[in-house]
Amino acid sequence: MPILNKDMTLCISLAARPSNIGTRFHNYLYDQLGLNYVYKAFAPADLAQAIAGVRGLPIRGCAVSMPYKEEVIALVDRMDPSAKAIESVNTIVNDDGVLTAYNTDYLAIARLLRDHRVPATHSVLLRGSGGMAKAVAAALRDAGFSDVTVVARNEATGRALADLYDFAWQAEPGTSTADLLINVTPLGMSGQDEDVQSFGDDAVAAARVVFDVVALPAETPLIAAARAAGKPVITGAEVIAIQAEEQFVLYTGVRPTPEQVREASEFSRS
């Protein structure tokens, strides 16, 4: 990383539970590509003030994580179609004080479903109804999945998401099973819920593929249970690498090679 200087471009992330994954990913690539950039993670005390800081300093790029992906919409100037279509933001780009919101989560989910060759005929239990769940639901719909049940304790947001894509809704997983399990909640994330397995052992045993978008820790209780049961898994580490790559391109205008992305992803977790 170059020595801090007045011409250095700053990019940041805003999350309730910041991690070093994005910080290490972006800074690794800045160093490898010789870019005069630096990336720093923050837990905002006040979201509106934080976004005002992005606009006023000016900060070039801002990643947005749970639980701010919907709240931040009112604070930006423009919504790219990738964010507007699902009313959820994970990336903000600052062009001379004009803030444009994007969503690279959708791109990551769509690519992973395709790369892992998950059949659209699979039934799905999607646990969660927040901003990331919207990206996942949209990617499922666009990939041709139709037998999808949104599992969300919040009936208002859960039903709204399900109705948007003509999916089903239920409050709790209960004894339900499906071919594809997807967790899009903080259950299993480092912190107060890190020991919670978002789907029970019976559901894991009945599944054909298990997908957890939680990126920290690298192996959540759900992923650990799926591996123990011999199930194919898709992890949050894969999600964060792809969405971070797309953020990197938006911030810098430079696309790293697949090998550089792989190395940066490995470094971010080392």
Side-chain angles (χ1 to χ4, degrees):
M1 182 186 302
I3 295 174
L4 291 171
N5 58 82
K6 68 179 181 63
D7 297 316
M8 180 169 279
T9 299
L10 174 61
C11 294
I12 69 171
S13 64
L14 300 176
R17 302 180 191 177
S19 77
N20 279 323
I21 296 175
T23 302
R24 290 169 64 83
F25 181 95
H26 285 270
N27 285 322
Y28 179 90
L29 288 176
Y30 298 155
D31 182 62
Q32 290 294 304
L33 295 168
L35 300 175
N36 192 25
Y37 278 66
V38 66
Y39 190 101
K40 176 72 172 67
F42 292 94
D46 184 294
L47 182 64
Q49 290 179 358
I51 298 301
V54 170
R55 190 192 305 274
L57 284 174
I59 294 168
R60 169 59 177 165
C62 176
V64 182
S65 296
M66 293 187 292
Y68 306 119
K69 295 185 177 187
E70 295 161 306
E71 184 180 351
V72 78
I73 291 173
L75 305 174
V76 301
D77 302 307
R78 299 173 180 168
M79 292 280 283
D80 180 78
S82 63
K84 189 172 184 179
I86 56 179
E87 290 296 310
S88 178
V89 173
N90 82 324
T91 304
I92 298 171
V93 176
N94 183 359
D95 293 299
D96 298 321
V98 177
L99 304 186
T100 303
Y102 299 82
N103 194 301
T104 65
D105 289 331
Y106 170 91
L107 299 175
I109 300 300
R111 188 193 302 184
L112 287 168
L113 290 171
R114 181 176 65 251
D115 290 352
H116 285 268
R117 299 181 180 180
V118 183
T121 53
H122 275 6
S123 58
V124 184
L125 286 177
L126 170 61
R127 187 162 193 184
S129 59
M132 185 63 165
K134 289 182 177 181
V136 174
L140 287 169
R141 187 276 313 273
D142 291 347
F145 290 82
S146 59
D147 186 2
V148 179
T149 299
V150 175
V151 181
R153 187 174 300 176
N154 185 320
E155 182 173 356
T157 60
R159 281 191 182 278
L161 179 58
D163 291 347
L164 183 63
Y165 298 111
D166 198 25
F167 295 158
W169 167 84
Q170 63 189 54
E172 298 288 349
T175 59
S176 297
T177 60
D179 298 318
L180 172 60
L181 304 178
I182 309 179
N183 175 50
V184 200
T185 75
L187 298 178
M189 182 182 293
S190 293
Q192 63 182 5
D193 298 318
E194 63 185 9
D195 296 325
V196 181
Q197 186 174 310
S198 51
F199 289 97
D201 289 338
D202 288 345
V204 171
R208 297 186 182 185
V209 182
V210 176
F211 188 174
D212 198 338
V213 303
V214 171
L216 190 69
E219 185 156 295
T220 64
L222 178 62
I223 292 298
R227 291 194 196 278
K231 304 295 180 176
V233 300
I234 307 173
T235 70
E238 296 173 84
V239 176
I240 202 169
I242 296 172
Q243 66 88 15
E245 174 189 352
E246 296 303 325
Q247 287 178 333
F248 184 91
V249 174
L250 287 169
Y251 299 158
T252 68
V254 177
R255 179 158 308 267
T257 67
E259 178 66 13
Q260 288 170 330
V261 172
R262 184 189 63 77
E263 291 175 352
S265 182
E266 290 178 356
F267 177 77
S268 73
R269 296 184 164 279
S270 63

PDB file of all heavy atoms in Angstrom, residues 128-154:
ATOM      1  N   GLY A 128     -35.079 -15.112   5.187  1.00  0.00           N
ATOM      2  CA  GLY A 128     -34.730 -13.709   5.281  1.00  0.00           C
ATOM      3  C   GLY A 128     -35.605 -12.869   4.378  1.00  0.00           C
ATOM      4  O   GLY A 128     -36.160 -13.369   3.391  1.00  0.00           O
ATOM      5  N   SER A 129     -35.737 -11.568   4.701  1.00  0.00           N
ATOM      6  CA  SER A 129     -36.570 -10.692   3.867  1.00  0.00           C
ATOM      7  C   SER A 129     -35.997  -9.282   3.782  1.00  0.00           C
ATOM      8  O   SER A 129     -36.704  -8.354   3.408  1.00  0.00           O
ATOM      9  CB  SER A 129     -38.005 -10.631   4.419  1.00  0.00           C
ATOM     10  OG  SER A 129     -38.011 -10.145   5.762  1.00  0.00           O
ATOM     11  N   GLY A 130     -34.719  -9.109   4.116  1.00  0.00           N
ATOM     12  CA  GLY A 130     -34.084  -7.798   4.045  1.00  0.00           C
ATOM     13  C   GLY A 130     -33.520  -7.503   2.676  1.00  0.00           C
ATOM     14  O   GLY A 130     -33.897  -8.119   1.673  1.00  0.00           O
ATOM     15  N   GLY A 131     -32.577  -6.557   2.639  1.00  0.00           N
ATOM     16  CA  GLY A 131     -32.027  -6.112   1.364  1.00  0.00           C
ATOM     17  C   GLY A 131     -31.345  -7.205   0.580  1.00  0.00           C
ATOM     18  O   GLY A 131     -31.539  -7.334  -0.636  1.00  0.00           O
ATOM     19  N   MET A 132     -30.527  -8.012   1.251  1.00  0.00           N
ATOM     20  CA  MET A 132     -29.836  -9.094   0.550  1.00  0.00           C
ATOM     21  C   MET A 132     -30.825 -10.148   0.077  1.00  0.00           C
ATOM     22  O   MET A 132     -30.667 -10.728  -1.003  1.00  0.00           O
ATOM     23  CB  MET A 132     -28.784  -9.716   1.463  1.00  0.00           C
ATOM     24  CG  MET A 132     -27.930 -10.778   0.789  1.00  0.00           C
ATOM     25  SD  MET A 132     -26.969 -10.083  -0.572  1.00  0.00           S
ATOM     26  CE  MET A 132     -25.776 -11.394  -0.830  1.00  0.00           C
ATOM     27  N   ALA A 133     -31.866 -10.406   0.873  1.00  0.00           N
ATOM     28  CA  ALA A 133     -32.881 -11.372   0.463  1.00  0.00           C
ATOM     29  C   ALA A 133     -33.584 -10.924  -0.810  1.00  0.00           C
ATOM     30  O   ALA A 133     -33.952 -11.741  -1.655  1.00  0.00           O
ATOM     31  CB  ALA A 133     -33.906 -11.575   1.584  1.00  0.00           C
ATOM     32  N   LYS A 134     -33.761  -9.621  -0.964  1.00  0.00           N
ATOM     33  CA  LYS A 134     -34.365  -9.108  -2.197  1.00  0.00           C
ATOM     34  C   LYS A 134     -33.492  -9.427  -3.401  1.00  0.00           C
ATOM     35  O   LYS A 134     -33.998  -9.797  -4.470  1.00  0.00           O
ATOM     36  CB  LYS A 134     -34.570  -7.594  -2.082  1.00  0.00           C
ATOM     37  CG  LYS A 134     -35.672  -7.182  -1.115  1.00  0.00           C
ATOM     38  CD  LYS A 134     -35.829  -5.675  -1.117  1.00  0.00           C
ATOM     39  CE  LYS A 134     -36.972  -5.234  -0.215  1.00  0.00           C
ATOM     40  NZ  LYS A 134     -37.151  -3.768  -0.227  1.00  0.00           N
ATOM     41  N   ALA A 135     -32.180  -9.262  -3.238  1.00  0.00           N
ATOM     42  CA  ALA A 135     -31.267  -9.573  -4.330  1.00  0.00           C
ATOM     43  C   ALA A 135     -31.318 -11.052  -4.679  1.00  0.00           C
ATOM     44  O   ALA A 135     -31.328 -11.433  -5.853  1.00  0.00           O
ATOM     45  CB  ALA A 135     -29.840  -9.162  -3.956  1.00  0.00           C
ATOM     46  N   VAL A 136     -31.368 -11.903  -3.658  1.00  0.00           N
ATOM     47  CA  VAL A 136     -31.418 -13.346  -3.879  1.00  0.00           C
ATOM     48  C   VAL A 136     -32.736 -13.730  -4.551  1.00  0.00           C
ATOM     49  O   VAL A 136     -32.754 -14.513  -5.505  1.00  0.00           O
ATOM     50  CB  VAL A 136     -31.256 -14.107  -2.552  1.00  0.00           C
ATOM     51  CG1 VAL A 136     -31.460 -15.610  -2.769  1.00  0.00           C
ATOM     52  CG2 VAL A 136     -29.876 -13.850  -1.951  1.00  0.00           C
ATOM     53  N   ALA A 137     -33.841 -13.176  -4.056  1.00  0.00           N
ATOM     54  CA  ALA A 137     -35.153 -13.503  -4.638  1.00  0.00           C
ATOM     55  C   ALA A 137     -35.220 -13.098  -6.105  1.00  0.00           C
ATOM     56  O   ALA A 137     -35.728 -13.842  -6.948  1.00  0.00           O
ATOM     57  CB  ALA A 137     -36.261 -12.815  -3.840  1.00  0.00           C
ATOM     58  N   ALA A 138     -34.693 -11.926  -6.419  1.00  0.00           N
ATOM     59  CA  ALA A 138     -34.707 -11.469  -7.809  1.00  0.00           C
ATOM     60  C   ALA A 138     -33.851 -12.368  -8.695  1.00  0.00           C
ATOM     61  O   ALA A 138     -34.241 -12.707  -9.818  1.00  0.00           O
ATOM     62  CB  ALA A 138     -34.202 -10.031  -7.886  1.00  0.00           C
ATOM     63  N   ALA A 139     -32.687 -12.776  -8.177  1.00  0.00           N
ATOM     64  CA  ALA A 139     -31.808 -13.661  -8.947  1.00  0.00           C
ATOM     65  C   ALA A 139     -32.458 -15.020  -9.172  1.00  0.00           C
ATOM     66  O   ALA A 139     -32.336 -15.609 -10.256  1.00  0.00           O
ATOM     67  CB  ALA A 139     -30.477 -13.817  -8.237  1.00  0.00           C
ATOM     68  N   LEU A 140     -33.148 -15.532  -8.156  1.00  0.00           N
ATOM     69  CA  LEU A 140     -33.855 -16.803  -8.298  1.00  0.00           C
ATOM     70  C   LEU A 140     -34.940 -16.698  -9.369  1.00  0.00           C
ATOM     71  O   LEU A 140     -35.057 -17.557 -10.242  1.00  0.00           O
ATOM     72  CB  LEU A 140     -34.480 -17.205  -6.963  1.00  0.00           C
ATOM     73  CG  LEU A 140     -33.532 -17.701  -5.872  1.00  0.00           C
ATOM     74  CD1 LEU A 140     -34.262 -17.789  -4.540  1.00  0.00           C
ATOM     75  CD2 LEU A 140     -32.928 -19.062  -6.226  1.00  0.00           C
ATOM     76  N   ARG A 141     -35.735 -15.643  -9.278  1.00  0.00           N
ATOM     77  CA  ARG A 141     -36.809 -15.446 -10.266  1.00  0.00           C
ATOM     78  C   ARG A 141     -36.244 -15.362 -11.675  1.00  0.00           C
ATOM     79  O   ARG A 141     -36.739 -16.010 -12.603  1.00  0.00           O
ATOM     80  CB  ARG A 141     -37.578 -14.172  -9.899  1.00  0.00           C
ATOM     81  CG  ARG A 141     -38.856 -13.885 -10.720  1.00  0.00           C
ATOM     82  CD  ARG A 141     -38.601 -13.178 -12.040  1.00  0.00           C
ATOM     83  NE  ARG A 141     -37.708 -12.040 -11.935  1.00  0.00           N
ATOM     84  CZ  ARG A 141     -38.109 -10.791 -11.644  1.00  0.00           C
ATOM     85  NH1 ARG A 141     -39.377 -10.541 -11.439  1.00  0.00           N
ATOM     86  NH2 ARG A 141     -37.221  -9.801 -11.594  1.00  0.00           N
ATOM     87  N   ASP A 142     -35.189 -14.564 -11.842  1.00  0.00           N
ATOM     88  CA  ASP A 142     -34.626 -14.356 -13.172  1.00  0.00           C
ATOM     89  C   ASP A 142     -33.939 -15.608 -13.715  1.00  0.00           C
ATOM     90  O   ASP A 142     -33.776 -15.756 -14.932  1.00  0.00           O
ATOM     91  CB  ASP A 142     -33.639 -13.189 -13.140  1.00  0.00           C
ATOM     92  CG  ASP A 142     -34.338 -11.852 -12.906  1.00  0.00           C
ATOM     93  OD1 ASP A 142     -35.571 -11.804 -13.015  1.00  0.00           O
ATOM     94  OD2 ASP A 142     -33.630 -10.869 -12.598  1.00  0.00           O
ATOM     95  N   ALA A 143     -33.524 -16.518 -12.809  1.00  0.00           N
ATOM     96  CA  ALA A 143     -32.902 -17.777 -13.232  1.00  0.00           C
ATOM     97  C   ALA A 143     -33.947 -18.859 -13.509  1.00  0.00           C
ATOM     98  O   ALA A 143     -33.593 -19.972 -13.908  1.00  0.00           O
ATOM     99  CB  ALA A 143     -31.922 -18.267 -12.173  1.00  0.00           C
ATOM    100  N   GLY A 144     -35.225 -18.536 -13.276  1.00  0.00           N
ATOM    101  CA  GLY A 144     -36.294 -19.475 -13.603  1.00  0.00           C
ATOM    102  C   GLY A 144     -36.830 -20.296 -12.452  1.00  0.00           C
ATOM    103  O   GLY A 144     -37.666 -21.187 -12.653  1.00  0.00           O
ATOM    104  N   PHE A 145     -36.393 -20.015 -11.214  1.00  0.00           N
ATOM    105  CA  PHE A 145     -36.923 -20.743 -10.056  1.00  0.00           C
ATOM    106  C   PHE A 145     -38.341 -20.254  -9.764  1.00  0.00           C
ATOM    107  O   PHE A 145     -38.611 -19.049  -9.759  1.00  0.00           O
ATOM    108  CB  PHE A 145     -36.046 -20.504  -8.820  1.00  0.00           C
ATOM    109  CG  PHE A 145     -34.692 -21.156  -8.886  1.00  0.00           C
ATOM    110  CD1 PHE A 145     -33.649 -20.555  -9.578  1.00  0.00           C
ATOM    111  CD2 PHE A 145     -34.461 -22.370  -8.243  1.00  0.00           C
ATOM    112  CE1 PHE A 145     -32.397 -21.147  -9.640  1.00  0.00           C
ATOM    113  CE2 PHE A 145     -33.207 -22.974  -8.303  1.00  0.00           C
ATOM    114  CZ  PHE A 145     -32.174 -22.356  -9.007  1.00  0.00           C
ATOM    115  N   SER A 146     -39.241 -21.185  -9.503  1.00  0.00           N
ATOM    116  CA  SER A 146     -40.633 -20.806  -9.220  1.00  0.00           C
ATOM    117  C   SER A 146     -41.153 -21.388  -7.914  1.00  0.00           C
ATOM    118  O   SER A 146     -42.040 -20.806  -7.278  1.00  0.00           O
ATOM    119  CB  SER A 146     -41.542 -21.242 -10.372  1.00  0.00           C
ATOM    120  OG  SER A 146     -41.469 -22.653 -10.568  1.00  0.00           O
ATOM    121  N   ASP A 147     -40.617 -22.540  -7.487  1.00  0.00           N
ATOM    122  CA  ASP A 147     -41.064 -23.185  -6.245  1.00  0.00           C
ATOM    123  C   ASP A 147     -40.213 -22.663  -5.090  1.00  0.00           C
ATOM    124  O   ASP A 147     -39.301 -23.338  -4.600  1.00  0.00           O
ATOM    125  CB  ASP A 147     -40.941 -24.701  -6.373  1.00  0.00           C
ATOM    126  CG  ASP A 147     -41.524 -25.432  -5.171  1.00  0.00           C
ATOM    127  OD1 ASP A 147     -42.056 -24.762  -4.252  1.00  0.00           O
ATOM    128  OD2 ASP A 147     -41.439 -26.678  -5.141  1.00  0.00           O
ATOM    129  N   VAL A 148     -40.494 -21.425  -4.671  1.00  0.00           N
ATOM    130  CA  VAL A 148     -39.696 -20.733  -3.652  1.00  0.00           C
ATOM    131  C   VAL A 148     -40.594 -20.313  -2.503  1.00  0.00           C
ATOM    132  O   VAL A 148     -41.680 -19.761  -2.717  1.00  0.00           O
ATOM    133  CB  VAL A 148     -38.999 -19.493  -4.240  1.00  0.00           C
ATOM    134  CG1 VAL A 148     -38.185 -18.770  -3.162  1.00  0.00           C
ATOM    135  CG2 VAL A 148     -38.113 -19.876  -5.420  1.00  0.00           C
ATOM    136  N   THR A 149     -40.143 -20.574  -1.290  1.00  0.00           N
ATOM    137  CA  THR A 149     -40.847 -20.119  -0.088  1.00  0.00           C
ATOM    138  C   THR A 149     -39.940 -19.178   0.684  1.00  0.00           C
ATOM    139  O   THR A 149     -38.817 -19.546   1.052  1.00  0.00           O
ATOM    140  CB  THR A 149     -41.250 -21.290   0.818  1.00  0.00           C
ATOM    141  OG1 THR A 149     -42.135 -22.160   0.103  1.00  0.00           O
ATOM    142  CG2 THR A 149     -41.954 -20.784   2.078  1.00  0.00           C
ATOM    143  N   VAL A 150     -40.413 -17.967   0.916  1.00  0.00           N
ATOM    144  CA  VAL A 150     -39.690 -16.998   1.738  1.00  0.00           C
ATOM    145  C   VAL A 150     -40.029 -17.282   3.199  1.00  0.00           C
ATOM    146  O   VAL A 150     -41.204 -17.307   3.580  1.00  0.00           O
ATOM    147  CB  VAL A 150     -40.086 -15.552   1.374  1.00  0.00           C
ATOM    148  CG1 VAL A 150     -39.424 -14.558   2.326  1.00  0.00           C
ATOM    149  CG2 VAL A 150     -39.724 -15.255  -0.075  1.00  0.00           C
ATOM    150  N   VAL A 151     -39.014 -17.510   4.003  1.00  0.00           N
ATOM    151  CA  VAL A 151     -39.190 -17.773   5.434  1.00  0.00           C
ATOM    152  C   VAL A 151     -38.750 -16.530   6.190  1.00  0.00           C
ATOM    153  O   VAL A 151     -37.563 -16.187   6.200  1.00  0.00           O
ATOM    154  CB  VAL A 151     -38.359 -18.990   5.886  1.00  0.00           C
ATOM    155  CG1 VAL A 151     -38.572 -19.248   7.375  1.00  0.00           C
ATOM    156  CG2 VAL A 151     -38.716 -20.219   5.061  1.00  0.00           C
ATOM    157  N   ALA A 152     -39.715 -15.823   6.787  1.00  0.00           N
ATOM    158  CA  ALA A 152     -39.395 -14.567   7.468  1.00  0.00           C
ATOM    159  C   ALA A 152     -40.361 -14.345   8.618  1.00  0.00           C
ATOM    160  O   ALA A 152     -41.581 -14.382   8.431  1.00  0.00           O
ATOM    161  CB  ALA A 152     -39.454 -13.400   6.498  1.00  0.00           C
ATOM    162  N   ARG A 153     -39.793 -14.091   9.799  1.00  0.00           N
ATOM    163  CA  ARG A 153     -40.626 -13.847  10.976  1.00  0.00           C
ATOM    164  C   ARG A 153     -41.427 -12.562  10.827  1.00  0.00           C
ATOM    165  O   ARG A 153     -42.548 -12.458  11.318  1.00  0.00           O
ATOM    166  CB  ARG A 153     -39.728 -13.779  12.218  1.00  0.00           C
ATOM    167  CG  ARG A 153     -40.489 -13.704  13.526  1.00  0.00           C
ATOM    168  CD  ARG A 153     -39.536 -13.777  14.706  1.00  0.00           C
ATOM    169  NE  ARG A 153     -38.797 -15.037  14.686  1.00  0.00           N
ATOM    170  CZ  ARG A 153     -37.834 -15.348  15.549  1.00  0.00           C
ATOM    171  NH1 ARG A 153     -37.477 -14.483  16.481  1.00  0.00           N
ATOM    172  NH2 ARG A 153     -37.223 -16.505  15.472  1.00  0.00           N
ATOM    173  N   ASN A 154     -40.849 -11.572  10.146  1.00  0.00           N
ATOM    174  CA  ASN A 154     -41.548 -10.315   9.907  1.00  0.00           C
ATOM    175  C   ASN A 154     -42.547 -10.537   8.769  1.00  0.00           C
ATOM    176  O   ASN A 154     -42.177 -10.605   7.596  1.00  0.00           O
ATOM    177  CB  ASN A 154     -40.542  -9.213   9.540  1.00  0.00           C
ATOM    178  CG  ASN A 154     -41.188  -7.852   9.402  1.00  0.00           C
ATOM    179  OD1 ASN A 154     -42.281  -7.717   8.863  1.00  0.00           O
ATOM    180  ND2 ASN A 154     -40.496  -6.823   9.883  1.00  0.00           N
TER     181      ASN A 154
END
